[in-house]
Amino acid sequence: MIDVKSIQERKKLRLAILEELYNHHFFSPSQNNCLIVKTNELYGERNSEKHLAYHYLVTSGYIHLDISGDSSVVSITAKGIDYVESNYE
């Protein structure tokens, strides 16, 4: 059976990630629209809810993720921006 509450929580997590990247894209004080973080700080354990959320957002084309060594560079795509903005129209 599908756990509707879990689905809602996953959608909220994905939207929160997109909103953070959206704000970083448009309002970053450094004019750098990419988020640069340690990979393990980005999503924690492999196959955690946060890791799965990032995987979904990448494969859906909402974000771009580049992993190099232990660092990750994450940015929102045009499709991700449109998705965030459509939630507030």
Side-chain angles (χ1 to χ4, degrees), residues 10-83:
R10 287 182 185 111
K11 288 177 80 173
K12 283 172 51 175
L13 175 59
R14 292 192 303 259
L15 183 57
I17 292 168
L18 284 174
E19 287 173 341
E20 177 185 6
L21 293 170
Y22 179 94
N23 286 329
H24 194 74
H25 180 83
F26 287 106
F27 306 112
S28 175
S30 68
Q31 301 288 329
N32 181 1
N33 63 356
C34 295
L35 182 62
I36 303 169
V37 295
K38 297 282 184 192
T39 302
N40 63 343
E41 293 173 11
L42 184 64
Y43 52 73
E45 302 267 334
R46 184 168 174 78
N47 292 327
S48 65
E49 286 293 331
K50 200 168 185 183
H51 179 253
L52 294 173
Y54 274 96
H55 183 269
Y56 172 88
L57 293 171
V58 167
T59 58
S60 296
Y62 291 119
I63 66 172
H64 178 14
L65 175 63
D66 184 26
I67 300 173
S68 178
D70 65 343
S71 294
S72 293
V73 178
V74 189
S75 60
I76 193 167
T77 63
K79 185 176 179 179
I81 290 170
D82 289 344
Y83 181 82

